Amino acid sequence: MQPHPAEDLESLMAAYQQADRTAAEALIERLSPQLHRFFMAQVVSRRYADDLLQETWLRIHEARHTYRPGEPVLPWIYAIARHVRVDSYRKVRRTESREQQVDVLPEAPPHGTGSQPGPDLDALLRVLPESQREVIVMLKVSEMTIEQVAQATSSSVGSVKQKAHRAYRKLREVLENMGFGDRGRRSTE
Amino acid sequence: MTPEQIDRVLAESARRSPPQEVDAAVVERAKASLASSLEPVRPLRSSRVFLTILFIISAAVAVLGAVVFGVRGLPVLSAIQRAVIFPMLIAAAAVAGIASVREMRPAAGRRIGSLALALSILVPLAAFAFLFRSYDPGNFVPDGVKCLTAGLACAIPAAIIAALVLRRGFVLDWPAAGIAAGTLAGLAGIGMLELHCPILKAPHIMVWHVAVVWISGLGGWLAGWMVQTAKRRSG
């Protein structure tokens, strides 16, 4: 496949609306990994995340006329992805329990091993309730701004800040129990 | 730990556990399914255009309904009553219109359909309680049922037209869209009643006229829920 000359997501999306096949393929290549990670942070099974990713691209295709050229692409994409996940969750919730509320803390890495400075991200995020987890994934993994996360989740900036604040409080508790507080203090001293 | 230290741990963890490679077959399937129906699309018009369309539809239905049923209410309203009621209904319709338009596009903004419904009930109730001082019940039920029927007779076509407009977008949450469009349609119904109904008794207006809005809003939610359920079953 020839790489598409457009660099930014907004130009790729505008070209995709004009039926530019290479732009559509470039968007899929560029965004699939982060969408997959978004789903993997919420669900347990990789196969299920694959299905959600596939479904998300179908919905994006169906809804592509509702993207307004020039506007940020990520909130629009994540709003659809989030809806696909919620929709699918509702479908399967009677048969499968998807919410993995982790009461057991992620394992702490052995102290003093410089090459293993942090816990596994997905395990760490699973400590958080779903609504806080998705906010942290969008902010820290997809590197969206608070305003973009608010757009993607159809909520207010204040609500996103509150969720992030609560998530950080929980993460602080977990990380300090794992001994990261001491390490953090040591590193800042 | 400070938020910055937590950020560092998160960043280190993300670096240490990069996203699993997406299955190439999944990516290829996505590309193939998009390519098979790739046609140019015209981006949806701006929210202002749709807001104007919805507003004109609501106003037109209210005025046409009043013409059909008879404009007997407007002449008996005082100048203060007219100056408060109609701008209030226009403002409520603007909020309900914005709520409806936001449902047409993903990431279009905070969802305010329920807020629009609550405002469209509570603000008119307060205004009517302030403006109408006669608490004589009169023929409370027979007159009320006539007004409710006439109001809903206007709200239903307004809701159907609003739903057709909403369908041009890509509604993610049909029940929420239903509440917003139902509220807007209910406001068209109550607008028609204020033009048509000559009864100036507070209980009549506060119960039967306002009922058009909440019945229409809840009806919109129910219709939206049915559409969503049908879509999930077919999908």
Side-chain angles (χ1 to χ4, degrees):
Chain A
M1 186 190 86
Q2 286 289 315
H4 195 277
E7 282 291 317
D8 61 306
L9 295 174
E10 286 70 27
S11 306
L12 287 174
M13 190 66 211
Y16 170 35
Q17 286 181 317
Q18 300 313 310
D20 182 334
R21 186 176 169 161
T22 55
E25 292 181 345
L27 270 176
I28 294 173
E29 294 276 358
R30 291 255 305 260
L31 293 176
S32 288
Q34 60 174 284
L35 285 172
H36 197 262
R37 176 149 228 174
F38 172 72
F39 291 130
M40 281 300 288
Q42 315 285 334
V43 301
V44 180
S45 131
R46 188 192 162 104
R47 196 174 61 83
Y48 187 50
D50 288 348
D51 289 346
L52 292 179
L53 180 62
Q54 179 81 18
E55 179 65 24
T56 299
W57 282 114
L58 289 176
R59 299 267 183 104
I60 287 170
H61 189 60
E62 230 181 298
R64 65 193 189 282
H65 67 291
T66 64
Y67 169 74
R68 300 276 311 283
E71 289 189 0
V73 171
L74 284 180
W76 182 83
I77 295 262
Y78 272 87
I80 295 172
R82 189 172 176 268
H83 182 74
V84 167
R85 179 176 58 75
V86 172
D87 225 15
S88 171
Y89 176 74
R90 283 183 186 145
K91 266 186 200 164
V92 298
R93 111 183 123 179
R94 286 189 185 163
T95 51
E96 287 179 67
S97 172
R98 286 286 168 206
E99 180 68 8
Q100 191 188 37
Q101 194 66 45
V102 176
D103 294 326
V104 181
L105 299 178
E107 273 185 32
H111 283 260
T113 54
S115 60
Q116 295 287 316
D120 175 68
L121 182 69
D122 291 332
L124 191 57
L125 293 178
R126 284 205 190 102
V127 174
L128 302 173
E130 195 171 303
S131 61
Q132 294 172 17
R133 200 186 312 153
E134 75 172 6
V135 163
I136 294 296
V137 171
M138 287 185 203
L139 285 172
K140 299 297 165 192
V141 179
S142 303
E143 297 179 341
M144 291 161 69
T145 63
I146 286 184
E147 288 76 16
Q148 289 178 334
V149 176
Q151 268 186 292
T153 55
S154 301
S155 55
S156 64
V157 167
S159 161
V160 173
K161 281 183 179 169
Q162 192 183 45
K163 281 176 188 163
H165 177 73
R166 287 182 180 157
Y168 269 56
R169 203 164 55 198
K170 178 82 179 166
L171 287 172
R172 180 183 300 124
E173 194 185 305
V174 170
L175 289 168
E176 284 179 352
N177 281 339
M178 294 165 69
F180 278 91
D182 297 340
R183 187 181 304 174
R185 270 194 291 279
R186 274 202 298 275
S187 69
T188 53
E189 277 166 9
Chain B
M1 287 182 84
T2 63
E4 291 72 27
Q5 288 171 332
I6 297 173
D7 274 346
R8 268 205 297 278
V9 173
L10 286 174
E12 284 169 6
S13 303
R15 247 197 324 276
R16 279 180 59 249
S17 47
Q20 289 178 349
E21 194 100 332
V22 184
D23 188 347
V26 174
V27 172
E28 288 311 314
R29 264 205 310 276
K31 285 180 185 174
S33 56
L34 265 58
S36 65
S37 55
L38 199 57
E39 285 167 7
V41 289
R42 197 172 56 191
L44 207 61
R45 286 178 185 278
S46 80
S47 300
R48 280 186 194 162
V49 171
F50 287 102
L51 183 59
T52 308
I53 291 171
L54 288 174
F55 194 80
I56 289 171
I57 289 167
S58 308
V61 168
V63 172
L64 276 175
V67 169
V68 170
F69 289 108
V71 185
R72 296 198 296 270
L74 188 63
V76 297
L77 290 174
S78 69
I80 291 178
Q81 288 166 340
R82 289 181 196 177
V84 173
I85 291 172
F86 294 106
M88 172 191 71
L89 292 177
I90 289 170
V95 174
I98 290 168
S100 304
V101 167
R102 284 189 180 181
E103 296 293 341
M104 293 177 73
R105 287 194 307 119
R110 195 176 172 193
R111 294 217 167 99
I112 54 167
S114 305
L115 176 72
L117 177 60
L119 283 178
S120 303
I121 294 169
L122 296 176
V123 174
L125 272 179
F128 293 147
F130 170 74
L131 291 170
F132 299 100
R133 297 304 170 108
S134 168
Y135 282 84
D136 170 23
N139 290 324
F140 183 69
V141 175
D143 286 346
V145 170
K146 274 186 208 161
C147 276
L148 180 64
T149 310
L152 290 176
C154 279
I156 290 169
I160 292 170
I161 300 170
L164 292 175
V165 172
L166 291 181
R167 275 172 58 89
R168 291 188 53 79
F170 188 80
V171 175
L172 291 177
D173 188 342
W174 275 100
I179 290 179
T183 302
L184 185 62
L187 287 165
I190 199 173
M192 184 281 289
L193 287 176
E194 296 318 309
L195 294 169
H196 158 69
C197 175
I199 300 170
L200 301 183
K201 296 184 175 83
H204 172 82
I205 297 172
M206 290 171 69
V207 172
W208 299 104
H209 289 198
V210 175
V212 175
V213 179
W214 68 258
I215 290 174
S216 183
L218 290 184
W221 174 83
L222 184 65
W225 179 81
M226 286 162 69
V227 169
Q228 189 129 307
T229 305
K231 278 177 174 278
R232 282 207 185 111
R233 284 196 182 139
S234 66

